[in-house]
Amino acid sequence: MFEFLVCALAGIGAGVATGFAGLSAAVYISPILVTFLGIPSYEAIGIALASDVLASGASSLTYYRHGNIDIKRCIPLLASVISFTIIGSIVGFFVSSTDVGDTAMTYWTVIISLGLGFWFMIKPVDGNRGHVFSEKTRTIVAVLLGAYTGFLCGFQGTGGGMMMLFILTMVMGYALKTAVGTSVFIMTFTAFIGAVSHFAINGMPDLRRLAICVVFTLIAAQISASLANKIKVSSCNLIIGVLLAVSGVIMLLINLRNSGFADFDTKDLILIGVGAVFVILLVLIFEIRQLNKKNEKE
């Protein structure tokens, strides 16, 4: 029962992050499975990536139906990310261990997560950025950053979603909902390739744990993506900002602990996630009430 609850809660957290912000499921699933169930990190990353496939695919369809995916402009980025996801998976196998710290975020990705999180909360993204440079220059920069993003996805299973948001909003100038929709579209392919690579190299994980994570991630992602496309852009900025900021804080603390600068129980970090979910629920309740009032007037 304990194993079921851990996998289910990990999947729900990952699904919310995927549906609302296009974040990789590994940001939440991998540390939780390793910390509470003692699963080797490489296996946990494989489960997280597999959970990401259906969740991202279903979410991208929801965003597509609402006109919030730009497939044509993201093709070069997609090709770059996919290529380096394969490379990252191979490299990750040779340097992985059972310690989640070995697959924790680099400090650069932590900075991206925290920076974007607070940016979205303080100054909402409206899609008018990224036009200082030409389309060709933006594409070249996006492809280079996509290579780094793909390597992160394959190597440690995390960081792809938040880096994708950075590329699509700050470099390519996408509106936030379009950026998230395009991000989950790309993550569908990278998660699939990453999962297949992990399973081919390391073998299949525990199928029961995999099934629980996949199902709950998919359900939570679908609900989140549906709500994200209906609520106001300002509220999307707030929710995504909270998710990114909380993820950044958790990853920063993990890095500090593994570097010997801090000493605490990893399980305490779950409290931060609970606080983030509470804030998100408050925003959602407010938005749903506003939507109901609007529908009643119409």
Side-chain angles (χ1 to χ4, degrees):
M1 185 63 180
F2 176 73
E3 180 178 277
F4 175 85
L5 290 175
V6 170
C7 291
L9 290 174
I12 291 171
V16 171
T18 298
F20 268 115
L23 300 184
S24 170
V27 173
Y28 292 90
I29 290 179
S30 298
I32 291 176
L33 295 186
V34 172
T35 301
F36 289 92
L37 300 181
I39 298 175
S41 60
Y42 197 79
E43 179 181 342
I45 291 171
I47 292 175
L49 288 169
S51 301
D52 235 348
V53 177
L54 289 179
S56 294
S59 297
S60 63
L61 285 175
T62 299
Y63 278 93
Y64 179 77
R65 285 197 296 267
H66 288 82
N68 288 321
I69 289 184
D70 186 347
I71 298 177
K72 184 177 180 180
R73 289 181 62 204
C74 79
I75 291 177
L77 175 61
L78 174 63
S80 175
V81 172
I82 287 177
S83 300
F84 280 84
T85 295
I86 298 173
I87 296 173
S89 294
I90 296 173
V91 174
F93 174 74
F94 291 105
V95 300
S96 65
S97 74
T98 57
D99 184 0
V100 70
D102 290 336
T103 57
M105 288 291 185
T106 61
Y107 282 107
W108 167 245
T109 309
V110 170
I111 292 172
I112 291 293
S113 181
L114 288 172
L116 280 180
F118 288 113
W119 185 279
F120 290 161
M121 285 188 283
I122 297 171
K123 193 171 183 179
V125 172
D126 56 10
N128 292 322
R129 297 188 172 277
H131 297 297
V132 176
F133 303 103
S134 66
E135 180 70 22
K136 182 178 180 181
T137 301
R138 293 201 302 271
T139 300
I140 292 173
V141 174
V143 167
L144 292 175
L145 290 175
Y148 171 74
T149 301
F151 187 82
L152 277 181
C153 290
F155 181 74
Q156 55 193 36
T158 51
M162 59 190 68
M163 279 300 300
M164 210 80 72
L165 277 182
F166 173 77
I167 296 170
L168 294 172
T169 57
M170 300 302 177
V171 177
M172 301 188 72
Y174 280 32
L176 185 59
K177 289 186 180 182
T178 303
V180 175
T182 306
S183 175
V184 292
F185 171 73
I186 295 175
M187 291 300 292
T188 303
F189 297 95
T190 57
F192 176 76
I193 292 173
V196 170
S197 299
H198 273 66
F199 296 159
I201 294 172
N202 200 49
M204 290 297 293
D206 184 284
L207 294 181
R208 182 173 181 271
R209 295 168 178 167
L210 175 62
I212 296 170
C213 288
V214 167
V215 170
F216 280 92
T217 303
L218 174 60
I219 293 172
Q222 263 300 81
I223 295 173
S224 300
S226 180
L227 288 171
N229 280 279
K230 294 178 181 178
I231 62 178
K232 294 182 296 185
V233 174
S234 58
S235 296
C236 272
N237 272 274
L238 175 60
I239 293 171
I240 293 174
V242 170
L243 284 170
L244 286 169
V246 170
S247 300
V249 169
I250 291 175
M251 292 182 291
L252 176 62
L253 292 175
I254 289 176
N255 275 306
L256 290 175
R257 184 201 62 184
N258 293 328
S259 300
F261 295 111
D263 184 21
F264 53 82
D265 189 343
T266 305
K267 296 178 182 179
D268 293 338
L269 297 178
I270 301 302
L271 294 176
I272 301 176
V274 172
V277 172
F278 179 71
V279 172
I280 292 171
L281 287 176
L282 287 178
V283 175
L284 286 178
I285 291 172
F286 176 78
E287 287 292 343
I288 291 172
R289 290 184 62 184
Q290 293 296 104
L291 281 173
N292 289 336
K293 289 180 180 179
K294 182 179 179 181
N295 292 332
E296 288 175 2
K297 290 180 179 180
E298 295 177 349

Tab-separated table of all heavy atoms in Angstrom, residues 1 39 118 161:
chain	number	residue	atom	x	y	z
A	1	MET	N	0.831	-1.206	0.000
A	1	MET	CA	0.000	0.000	0.000
A	1	MET	C	0.868	1.259	0.000
A	1	MET	O	0.577	2.250	-0.676
A	1	MET	CB	-0.913	-0.004	1.233
A	1	MET	CG	-1.897	1.149	1.261
A	1	MET	SD	-3.045	1.064	-0.138
A	1	MET	CE	-4.058	2.496	0.150
A	39	ILE	N	14.731	2.972	-5.010
A	39	ILE	CA	14.948	2.513	-6.381
A	39	ILE	C	16.224	3.146	-6.939
A	39	ILE	O	16.466	4.340	-6.728
A	39	ILE	CB	13.748	2.895	-7.269
A	39	ILE	CG1	12.480	2.202	-6.756
A	39	ILE	CG2	13.988	2.528	-8.725
A	39	ILE	CD1	11.223	2.615	-7.497
A	118	PHE	N	10.415	33.061	-10.756
A	118	PHE	CA	10.140	34.394	-10.214
A	118	PHE	C	9.787	35.390	-11.317
A	118	PHE	O	8.991	36.310	-11.106
A	118	PHE	CB	11.344	34.883	-9.398
A	118	PHE	CG	11.511	34.162	-8.087
A	118	PHE	CD1	12.605	33.343	-7.863
A	118	PHE	CD2	10.547	34.278	-7.095
A	118	PHE	CE1	12.745	32.657	-6.660
A	118	PHE	CE2	10.676	33.602	-5.880
A	118	PHE	CZ	11.778	32.790	-5.669
A	161	GLY	N	12.009	20.280	-19.538
A	161	GLY	CA	10.844	21.145	-19.607
A	161	GLY	C	11.141	22.589	-19.279
A	161	GLY	O	10.714	23.505	-19.993
